[in-house]
Amino acid sequence: MSQSVTMEKIVSFSKRRGFIFQSSEIYGGIRSAYDYGPLGVEMKRNVKDEWWRSMVHTRDDVVGLDAAIIMHPRVWEASGHVGTFNDMLVESRTSGRRYRADHLIEAATDIDAEGMTASELTELIHSDERIKDPLDGGRDFTEVRPFNLMFETYTGPVKSEENIAYLRPETAQGIFTNFKNVLDTSRVKVPFGIAQIGKSFRNEITPGNFIFRTREFEQMEMEFFVEPGTDEGWHDYWLDQRWNWYTALGIDPENLRRYEHPKEKLSHYSKRTVDLEYNFPFAGWSELEGVANRTDYDLKRHTEFSGQKLEYRDQQQNRAYVPYVIEPAGGADRMTLAFLVDAYEEEEVSEDDVRTVLKLHPRIAPIKAAVFPLSKKEPVSTVARELYDDLKGDYRIAYDDGGSIGRRYRRQDEAGTPFCVTVDFDTLEDKQVTIRDRDTMTQERIPVEAVRDRLKALISG
Ligand code: GAP
């Protein structure tokens, strides 16, 4: 990561190169919603594919799932989200602005307000002279009220209480509610996991930092069911696995750390939670993903609310028990941002020349290779086209015949394309092409028929 990388730089770079656009921009945009452009969609897909490959395809103890976003509303009562998935809000009567009570308090005092009740927060805000409306300095505040973060909607044509449904605020509950289905239909044995990637929605009061916190986002969660008593060991195992996943895909370990949640601040379901944090240049150390020990909380709650027994029968021990759950839960958007920021470099080539390059791991790079014909004319272009047609399909490959080779390299450097293959006049004679490496900028000549295997080795290596 460049020292000088700022949020503004990343936002404008993302737009200029077609990674990420503001949603509904032609209407002035909508706050905290973003669209992935041609390069961004490839990159985010790669992040998700790599996660799925590591969590599901390369393992024999994890299966996949794709559950519905709109679930039975009782699910969210059982999970605790209807009762406790709240932010505490307060309104300033002088400006009419609403604030998160804990943010207001923490900005003006050194009091840690997380976990305080609504009446404790009200009392504090009303009595502490230091707490003021940041907009106009006013000190006339309403009572603090809990605000539920779940998006509500109605199923069917009648907008009535009994038709209320929610857009899921986490993908995890789709996994718990399918626990029995998966047990009954797959040959899984504890310890085993169920993984899912999908959209989640939270009516965040303070979204921001680009795609770091939005109201609609994509989660990648895996619930790993284990025998009680073995949960602590599995928790450490998954923490290591997830750390290694990031670093193997090129995240600088200097920018990654673990954050252990203090016991008194744990979520209602958690025995222990450790976040993997990334040092974002604009937000500091912030959660990339949480790895939680959810105990048997969710399965027991769903048993209680649905009346369906959710347990595992261990044939060997001839006993049934409710498994504990270890949950690595990450966000595809947040991870994409971390990969983007970590890879972004501005290299000073000379006094008046800066090379912007995304040093993405080849597996994460949106385009794996670009084919350049030195000339737009035949027969060089024909050979280049043939090579392009041969390579495309396995991965996203670019074909670029516009401008000087130097300019074409720079375009691909910005897109994060790890390899550029140039077909020149000598190719017609010696049947060799030049492969140029994005990071070292070294070039090598190899036979044209070896390019495909070579790329495969370079990308998977
Ligand atoms: N099932 C547990 C759970 O949902 P979480 O820490 O609230 O835990 C998991 O969310 C991950 O989802 C976070 O680490 C983050 O990467 C992502 N995430 C959560 N809220 C988000 C938001 N508003 N915008 C973008 N990503 C978000």
Side-chain angles (χ1 to χ4, degrees), residues 170 202 204 212 214 219 221 287-289 294 327 331:
E170 63 171 11
R202 294 180 191 176
E204 300 277 3
F212 179 83
T214 49
Q219 284 189 311
E221 301 196 291
E287 176 185 343
L288 257 188
E289 80 173 77
R294 291 183 81 126
E327 174 196 66

Side-chain angles (χ1 to χ4, degrees), residues 13 18 21-22 30 77 80 87 93 98 110 119 130 161 166 197 206 209 245 247 275 332 358 363 367 369 389 422:
F13 170 82
F21 307 125
Q22 173 75 63
I30 176 165
E77 289 172 36
D87 273 350
R93 289 203 183 89
R98 289 199 180 135
D110 51 9
S119 53
R130 291 173 295 175
E161 263 305 292
Y166 303 97
I197 299 179
T206 46
N209 279 335
W245 183 80
T247 53
D275 288 345
L358 278 188
R363 286 186 174 280
I367 298 170
D389 286 340
T422 303

Side-chain angles (χ1 to χ4, degrees), residues 126-185:
H126 286 183
S127 63
D128 194 318
E129 295 290 329
R130 291 173 295 175
I131 301 166
K132 296 189 175 93
D133 183 337
L135 208 64
D136 61 10
R139 281 220 14 87
D140 189 2
F141 292 103
T142 61
E143 306 243 300
V144 175
R145 285 190 202 92
F147 170 79
N148 195 283
L149 297 183
M150 280 196 294
F151 275 101
E152 270 181 26
T153 187
Y154 299 92
T155 48
V158 185
K159 292 189 173 178
S160 62
E161 263 305 292
E162 63 268 27
N163 290 337
I164 284 184
Y166 303 97
L167 303 187
R168 66 178 175 202
E170 63 171 11
T171 56
Q173 297 304 325
I175 296 179
F176 297 126
T177 53
N178 277 295
F179 172 76
K180 197 169 170 332
N181 282 335
V182 173
L183 264 189
D184 291 348
T185 56

Side-chain angles (χ1 to χ4, degrees), residues 208-219:
N209 279 335
F210 199 28
I211 54 169
F212 179 83
R213 180 171 284 108
T214 49
R215 297 195 169 104
E216 171 184 347
F217 53 97
E218 211 160 355
Q219 284 189 311

Side-chain angles (χ1 to χ4, degrees), residues 378-389:
E378 290 179 35
V380 170
S381 64
T382 320
V383 177
R385 270 278 160 206
E386 277 171 12
L387 177 61
Y388 169 73
D389 286 340

Side-chain angles (χ1 to χ4, degrees), residues 123-344:
E123 162 92 35
L124 184 63
I125 289 175
H126 286 183
S127 63
D128 194 318
E129 295 290 329
R130 291 173 295 175
I131 301 166
K132 296 189 175 93
D133 183 337
L135 208 64
D136 61 10
R139 281 220 14 87
D140 189 2
F141 292 103
T142 61
E143 306 243 300
V144 175
R145 285 190 202 92
F147 170 79
N148 195 283
L149 297 183
M150 280 196 294
F151 275 101
E152 270 181 26
T153 187
Y154 299 92
T155 48
V158 185
K159 292 189 173 178
S160 62
E161 263 305 292
E162 63 268 27
N163 290 337
I164 284 184
Y166 303 97
L167 303 187
R168 66 178 175 202
E170 63 171 11
T171 56
Q173 297 304 325
I175 296 179
F176 297 126
T177 53
N178 277 295
F179 172 76
K180 197 169 170 332
N181 282 335
V182 173
L183 264 189
D184 291 348
T185 56
S186 335
R187 298 167 61 83
V188 288
K189 287 197 174 75
V190 166
F192 76 94
I194 305 177
Q196 170 164 225
I197 299 179
K199 290 263 174 147
S200 291
F201 302 81
R202 294 180 191 176
N203 200 359
E204 300 277 3
I205 310 303
T206 46
N209 279 335
F210 199 28
I211 54 169
F212 179 83
R213 180 171 284 108
T214 49
R215 297 195 169 104
E216 171 184 347
F217 53 97
E218 211 160 355
Q219 284 189 311
M220 308 199 283
E221 301 196 291
M222 198 272 290
E223 310 301 320
F224 198 75
F225 301 93
V226 304
E227 189 177 350
T230 65
D231 49 306
E232 291 178 11
W234 278 110
H235 198 173
D236 289 331
Y237 167 85
W238 279 109
L239 274 165
D240 288 344
Q241 289 290 310
R242 296 302 304 141
W243 177 284
N244 295 341
W245 183 80
Y246 286 105
T247 53
L249 288 172
I251 292 280
D252 182 350
E254 291 284 307
N255 293 327
L256 208 57
R257 75 171 187 195
R258 286 182 179 194
Y259 168 75
E260 181 93 33
H261 284 230
K263 281 250 171 315
E264 63 280 9
K265 287 195 179 168
L266 289 174
S267 312
H268 57 281
Y269 52 73
S270 173
K271 173 173 161 187
R272 178 185 176 215
T273 299
V274 183
D275 288 345
L276 295 184
E277 294 189 329
Y278 181 78
N279 193 8
F280 286 96
F282 31 79
W285 290 104
S286 315
E287 176 185 343
L288 257 188
E289 80 173 77
V291 184
N293 182 342
R294 291 183 81 126
T295 67
D296 52 7
Y297 178 86
D298 300 271
L299 290 180
K300 280 196 167 153
R301 290 280 288 188
H302 286 302
T303 298
E304 192 187 314
F305 278 68
S306 69
Q308 300 275 326
K309 242 189 197 167
L310 300 178
E311 56 182 28
Y312 175 73
R313 172 150 287 285
D314 187 326
Q315 305 289 356
Q316 251 159 15
Q317 299 185 48
N318 196 24
R319 71 177 185 106
Y321 59 85
V322 181
Y324 266 38
V325 173
I326 305 300
E327 174 196 66
D333 309 272
R334 211 171 270 190
M335 287 185 203
T336 302
L337 183 60
F339 280 112
L340 197 63
V341 166
D342 212 72
Y344 185 90

